[in-house]
Amino acid sequence: MPRAPKTPRAARPRWHYILTIHWTDAGGTDRMATDSGTCAPPPGYLREDMWELLYNRLVKDTEATQAYVVFFSLERNDLWPTGS
């Protein structure tokens, strides 16, 4: 992906995400994990880029293998248009 000019993090829009995954651990137990929060992706990032980043981070943090996505949401965090 080509690099866009750097935009200060404070000037970038914030996005709220929720990601839930499901996997079966080595002992055969079903597991689920959810991560949520806000992020300020750099200019040029696509929704797919953010999904991959968030998914890979959650899979690594949970030490899951072959995890399936149960739920994913990525939306602008602001509820009111600027200037309202």
Side-chain angles (χ1 to χ4, degrees), residues 2-61:
R3 291 279 182 200
K6 288 198 174 208
T7 302
R9 180 171 285 190
R12 290 186 256 169
R14 303 237 13 122
W15 295 76
H16 179 261
Y17 66 89
I18 304 169
L19 173 63
T20 300
I21 60 172
H22 171 268
W23 74 100
T24 303
D25 68 15
T29 304
D30 284 339
R31 303 283 185 183
M32 288 185 93
T34 298
D35 186 23
S36 66
T38 62
C39 55
Y45 259 53
L46 304 173
R47 183 177 299 271
E48 180 181 12
D49 298 325
M50 287 308 303
W51 180 86
E52 283 186 35
L53 184 142
L54 295 167
Y55 173 81
N56 289 333
R57 184 177 71 187
L58 185 55
V59 166
K60 181 180 178 187
D61 288 350

Side-chain angles (χ1 to χ4, degrees), residues 62-79:
T62 59
E63 298 180 357
T65 56
Q66 297 183 0
Y68 300 95
V69 175
V70 176
F71 182 79
F72 176 66
S73 174
L74 177 66
E75 300 179 21
R76 287 284 298 257
N77 198 39
D78 57 341
L79 298 176

